[in-house]
Amino acid sequence: MSGSELNLSVNIGQKLSLKNPVMTASGTCGYGAEVARFYDPARLGALVLKGISLAPWPGNPCPRITETACGMINSIGLQNVGLKAFIKEKLPVAKSLGSPIIANILGGSVREYVKIARALEEAGVDAIELNVSCPNVKKGGIAFGLDIKSFTKLIKAVRKDISGPAIIVKLSPGAQPIEAFARAAQEEGADAVSLINTVPAMAIDADSRRPLIQNIVGGLSGPAIKPIALWLVYKTSKAVTIPVIGIGGIRTGRDAIEFILAGASAVQVGTASFVDPAAPVRVLEGIEGYMREKGIKDISALVGGLVTGCS
Ligand code: SIN
């Protein structure tokens, strides 16, 4: 079976059609152009860009990244160029790369989210990922993602104003029960949910007795969180009919297939890109290899295809 005989296309609701299910995870490909020297971004299903806030933001004080066993902790704190510069300078370049563009957004209030989303709709992004799960900022972000009332209010308000781009809601692993948040997102008109964002965590240097992250707490990502992410994707996909996008420690095609079998329609590759910047393309090739090996022509045949009972 050759690559062209395989059908990897997926629909994220009615508004977003992707040629394959592999995307970058927000914060791991900059504004898109940064990865173009490692691979052709047009090969991916979509590029999810670094989170954007209304005003430019310097992020948290350094050190704000540390490696852990099987992963890393970040407390970037949403360093970004701000909406205006994003639309003027970054988005036109990202759009020229040939891949659908998903803008990840974060606001300190419902009004801010709506304002950013409106501007991005006008600027022609393909989808908006509502970041309600960043553990590294004091205002907004996870404050919306852990409280079902504020969460529902936010999605309702954004949906009311946005009709062009697909709306994806990025969930925190701390949203409990996660099924309730996913259902609320669906009921308020979200096109998909993506999960999981990082898991709040810390690391300590025993010699200096100091935290390794200036902010003390950051978000753990990478293979260490994959089993948690798989479980939450599995539970969530049973609770909703909108597509679920799996995120968490995906490094290989087989990792991605595991998420797809658990119920994900698509996946995002994040932390693996810090080890190998071309990781998203390797994941895509790995999925193709798996499909050839198993004689599967259409990726949709694998979505939610977990067989229960251990082998
Ligand atoms: C950050 O900028 O702190 C990471 C973003 C996120 O966790 O959503």
Side-chain angles (χ1 to χ4, degrees):
M1 223 182 276
S2 79
S4 59
E5 282 173 286
L6 302 175
N7 179 12
L8 281 99
S9 62
V10 292
N11 290 328
I12 303 300
Q14 291 177 352
K15 296 175 195 286
L16 185 63
S17 295
L18 309 181
K19 59 173 149 329
N20 66 63
V22 181
M23 315 174 194
T24 54
S26 176
T28 62
C29 73
Y31 298 107
E34 291 87 336
V35 296
R37 70 190 169 104
F38 300 104
Y39 59 87
D40 177 5
R43 289 187 66 189
L44 298 185
L47 289 174
V48 186
L49 307 185
K50 176 64 185 160
I52 287 294
S53 54
L54 202 50
W57 196 246
N60 290 337
C62 291
R64 53 190 191 180
I65 283 194
T66 190
E67 205 172 328
T68 64
C70 298
M72 63 180 258
I73 299 176
N74 92 78
S75 178
I76 303 300
L78 207 76
Q79 176 183 359
N80 77 100
V81 297
L83 181 66
K84 215 167 146 192
F86 174 75
I87 290 177
K88 196 164 170 231
E89 293 156 24
K90 305 294 183 187
L91 189 57
V93 181
K95 280 165 79 175
S96 74
L97 298 172
S99 183
I101 296 300
I102 303 180
N104 177 290
I105 71 168
L106 189 139
S109 65
V110 171
R111 279 172 73 166
E112 263 184 39
Y113 274 97
V114 170
K115 198 167 174 185
I116 301 169
R118 269 198 207 138
L120 290 172
E121 172 168 40
E122 210 178 299
V125 299
D126 298 285
I128 293 170
E129 185 176 62
L130 297 179
N131 186 344
V132 289
S133 43
C134 173
N136 302 328
V137 286
K138 287 203 174 67
K139 248 181 107 199
I142 207 160
F144 286 100
L146 300 184
D147 175 64
I148 194 90
K149 270 196 186 150
S150 333
F151 176 89
T152 307
K153 195 173 153 201
L154 172 67
I155 298 162
K156 191 195 276 290
V158 176
R159 177 77 285 169
K160 190 170 144 272
D161 270 46
I162 302 300
S163 54
I167 295 177
I168 301 166
V169 184
K170 186 167 182 176
L171 301 176
S172 165
Q176 291 295 333
I178 202 154
E179 299 95 316
F181 283 82
R183 264 190 231 109
Q186 173 170 296
E187 275 157 26
E188 295 306 333
D191 296 283
V193 286
S194 57
L195 62 142
I196 56 175
N197 206 326
T198 55
V199 180
M202 74 184 289
I204 295 173
D205 173 21
D207 289 325
S208 66
R209 304 185 187 185
R210 292 173 191 277
L212 285 163
I213 294 277
Q214 186 65 31
N215 206 30
I216 300 182
V217 66
L220 178 66
S221 61
I225 69 165
K226 195 185 102 183
I228 302 171
L230 268 178
W231 167 234
L232 295 176
V233 163
Y234 175 75
K235 285 207 295 180
T236 301
S237 70
K238 298 251 176 269
V240 293
T241 53
I242 53 175
V244 172
I245 300 168
I247 320 166
I250 296 173
R251 282 180 311 139
T252 65
R254 288 185 90 88
D255 289 339
I257 294 288
E258 289 171 28
F259 275 87
I260 292 168
L261 292 173
S265 298
V267 294
Q268 295 181 5
V269 180
T271 301
S273 301
F274 296 117
V275 180
D276 170 10
V281 166
R282 275 197 305 97
V283 168
L284 172 61
E285 290 169 351
I287 294 173
E288 289 169 351
Y290 176 93
M291 289 172 69
R292 271 187 221 109
E293 182 191 318
K294 305 289 181 194
I296 291 159
K297 289 190 178 153
D298 197 314
I299 191 91
S300 65
L302 290 169
V303 177
L306 182 75
V307 180
T308 48
C310 289
S311 47

